[in-house]
Amino acid sequence: MNSKPTPQVVIIGSGFGGLNAALKLAHYPVRIVLIDRKNHHTFQPLLYQVATAGLSPGEIAAPIRWIVRGRRNIEVLLGEAQDFDLDRRVVKFPDRELPYDYLIVAAGASHAYFGHDDWEPLAPGLKTIEDALEIRRRILLAFELAERQAASGGPPVQLNFVIVGGGPTGVELAGTLSEIARRALANEFNSIDPKRTRIILLEGGPRILPTYPEDLSRSAEEQLRNLGVEVHTSTMVTGVEPVAVRMGASSLSAVVILWAAGVAASPLAKKLGAPLDRAGRVLVNPDLSIPGHPEIFVVGDLASLKDKNGQLVPGVAPAAIQEGKATARNIARDLQGKPRQNFHYVNKGSLATIGRAAAIAQFGKVHISGFIAWLSWLFVHIFFLIGFRNRIIVLIQWAWSYFTYERGARLITGDQTLPSWQQLTQEENTSAQEKEKRTA
Ligand SMILES: Cc1cc2nc3c(=O)[nH]c(=O)nc-3n(C[C@H](O)[C@H](O)[C@H](O)COP(=O)(O)OP(=O)(O)OC[C@H]3O[C@@H](n4cnc5c(N)ncnc54)[C@H](O)[C@@H]3O)c2cc1C
């Protein structure tokens, strides 16, 4: 009889990395505790669709408990890990401690405001379902408030939507917002013309989508301009105010400001006592464990590792999935008395969407732009979406909005005020009164 107790693997975070580690480990004789501060796994690549009213939250997120159902050795717990005691091998929660034999930290990253956390309420970023709903609320509310103001004879308000950051999230938000203004909402308002909305994308570097080859960056910029987006590169934002974005001495008025400019690792990284890179990610060993603790692994956006070509493994879903699975395999190899294997990232290609039938794709040396890239993007993302029902629903929604330009989830929920609105309308009123005085 085998008297060895079953090892307990604690996994913090049920994103792409943690979830895939758990699903793979479930095949082995281990007890798995999968902990997340949310009860659902979010398919982050489609968050922008929720933020822009194309999809509803339930179509891109699924309960973790449901995803792992039927795996008797996985226990799912709702909770936020706060700290670790590496000597006693426990994870600390506000109300309890949880022992582990192996620990996988897959807590991901969030947006960074470069030391200006006070900008966050003025310019929300996109990372969670809550963020997406808040962005959707602000966008839709801006059109409603502008219509109300115009209908009551007030001075017109210029609807400027400013997106800070020309990475994949900024680009997809800008492209889709422009389509909403120019197509989906174009004929639904009596007093304002949504087509006059300005969508402005600000990027600090010399080109948008800097991780893509230059020809694809140029193509993306052209596709964005064709959609009516104003793209400003080499434009560093130095301040965010309730109704404006500052760029050095100049400023740009804005009704809605969205933040897509920086990424910061989860604060849990610091608690592991391991060396960190400049973005706060844990510098892991080639097998994804941390120095001095072979029983602790860090995977996904929280891990910093160079691949065999000396390139940093990118913070993308396929990398997190591969790292989660590789870690599960190494734990199994430990249990079988076999040596561990180093992690090698397999890059199957990169895709970024811009809008309807607009995208770029890189598969090795093959660079594609436009409709074919967009179709590839669509099918890859639908394929990886969790749940067959979600895949079918999203495919139908997409086909519908492709042909009709409709956005099916245009609900304004929650607060009916915008942080910028009062100040903006006051400014417009004052300048209208001054104009009147001058003409009198
Ligand atoms: C808007 C957006 C669009 C993107 N688009 C793409 C794309 O098109 N293609 C692509 O490949 N990648 C894309 N990415 C990146 C991709 O989503 C990430 O690389 C991937 O999610 C990383 O997986 P992860 O498991 O490391 O972290 P995550 O998926 O972020 O998961 C981390 C999990 O940990 C939980 N957590 C955090 N802290 C704690 C704690 N203290 N206690 C308990 N739980 C905790 C979180 O709730 C979350 O569920 C996008 C990301 C965003 C934000």
Side-chain angles (χ1 to χ4, degrees), residues 126-404:
L126 184 59
K127 181 71 188 171
T128 61
I129 293 282
E130 288 84 350
D131 295 336
L133 292 177
E134 175 57 13
I135 290 175
R136 182 178 83 179
R137 187 187 76 80
R138 289 187 190 205
I139 294 166
L140 298 177
L141 199 54
F143 287 105
E144 293 302 332
L145 295 178
E147 174 78 356
R148 196 167 74 191
Q149 160 105 344
S152 60
V157 173
Q158 173 58 48
L159 284 180
N160 283 358
F161 291 176
V162 176
I163 298 125
V164 185
T169 303
V171 166
E172 59 199 14
L173 278 173
T176 315
L177 272 178
S178 193
E179 284 174 355
I180 292 180
R182 279 160 189 74
R183 297 288 193 153
L185 302 183
N187 302 316
E188 292 192 11
F189 290 81
N190 291 344
S191 304
I192 60 163
D193 180 3
K195 286 198 267 271
R196 297 187 56 195
T197 307
R198 287 177 66 195
I199 313 292
I200 304 147
L201 179 66
L202 305 178
E203 163 58 38
R207 61 187 176 100
I208 59 166
L209 299 175
T211 56
Y212 284 81
E214 260 188 84
D215 60 318
L216 289 180
S217 280
R218 269 198 310 277
S219 163
E221 189 171 328
E222 204 181 300
Q223 293 182 67
L224 273 179
R225 288 192 201 282
N226 290 342
L227 289 170
V229 177
E230 299 171 38
V231 183
H232 299 274
T233 49
S234 303
T235 305
M236 198 60 87
V237 168
T238 53
V240 176
E241 296 165 7
V243 289
V245 174
R246 290 213 165 272
M247 294 94 66
S250 63
S251 81
L252 189 63
S253 88
V255 180
V256 173
I257 308 168
L258 303 178
W259 191 260
V263 175
S266 155
L268 276 185
K270 279 195 194 126
K271 311 271 181 182
L272 287 167
L276 307 178
D277 71 5
R278 278 176 52 206
R281 289 171 298 205
V282 180
L283 288 159
V284 290
N285 294 326
D287 66 351
L288 301 167
S289 66
I290 66 171
H293 286 277
E295 76 285 9
I296 301 177
F297 297 86
V298 179
V299 303
D301 281 4
L302 198 58
S304 179
L305 177 74
K306 293 208 168 132
D307 66 14
K308 55 182 187 300
N309 306 322
Q311 303 277 344
L312 199 68
V313 176
V316 291
I321 293 171
Q322 290 176 30
E323 289 178 358
K325 288 181 178 170
T327 297
R329 279 194 297 268
N330 270 337
I331 292 176
R333 291 178 77 84
D334 274 7
L335 302 178
Q336 291 157 359
K338 295 180 184 165
R340 287 186 184 176
Q341 289 176 333
N342 290 344
F343 173 73
H344 295 293
Y345 174 54
V346 181
N347 185 350
K348 293 182 184 150
S350 320
L351 298 139
T353 184
I354 296 158
R356 181 181 181 273
I360 56 167
Q362 179 189 16
F363 301 108
K365 290 197 173 123
V366 180
H367 299 177
I368 317 173
S369 295
F371 182 69
I372 301 290
W374 181 76
L375 263 191
S376 325
W377 183 92
L378 192 146
F379 281 106
V380 165
H381 285 77
I382 289 199
F383 180 77
F384 280 106
L385 198 58
I386 285 180
F388 182 70
R389 177 185 154 274
N390 279 351
R391 281 185 212 136
I392 296 292
I393 290 176
V394 169
L395 200 57
I396 292 170
Q397 298 265 32
W398 241 312
W400 183 258
S401 58
Y402 183 84
F403 292 110
T404 63

Side-chain angles (χ1 to χ4, degrees), residues 11-20 35-48 64 77-84 91 93 105-111 125-128 168-170 172-173 212 263 266-268 299-303 314-321 323 345 349 351-353 377 380-381:
I11 303 176
I12 312 287
S14 188
F16 288 102
L19 187 61
N20 280 281
I35 297 166
D36 202 292
R37 58 185 174 194
K38 310 272 181 201
N39 82 328
H40 52 268
H41 166 85
T42 304
F43 192 80
Q44 291 171 17
L46 290 183
L47 269 176
Y48 84 98
I64 299 162
L77 292 180
L78 180 71
E80 180 155 12
Q82 310 240 295
D83 206 346
F84 309 100
V91 184
F93 296 87
V105 187
S110 190
H111 18 264
L126 184 59
K127 181 71 188 171
T128 61
T169 303
E172 59 199 14
L173 278 173
Y212 284 81
V263 175
S266 155
L268 276 185
V299 303
D301 281 4
L302 198 58
V316 291
I321 293 171
E323 289 178 358
Y345 174 54
L351 298 139
T353 184
W377 183 92
V380 165
H381 285 77

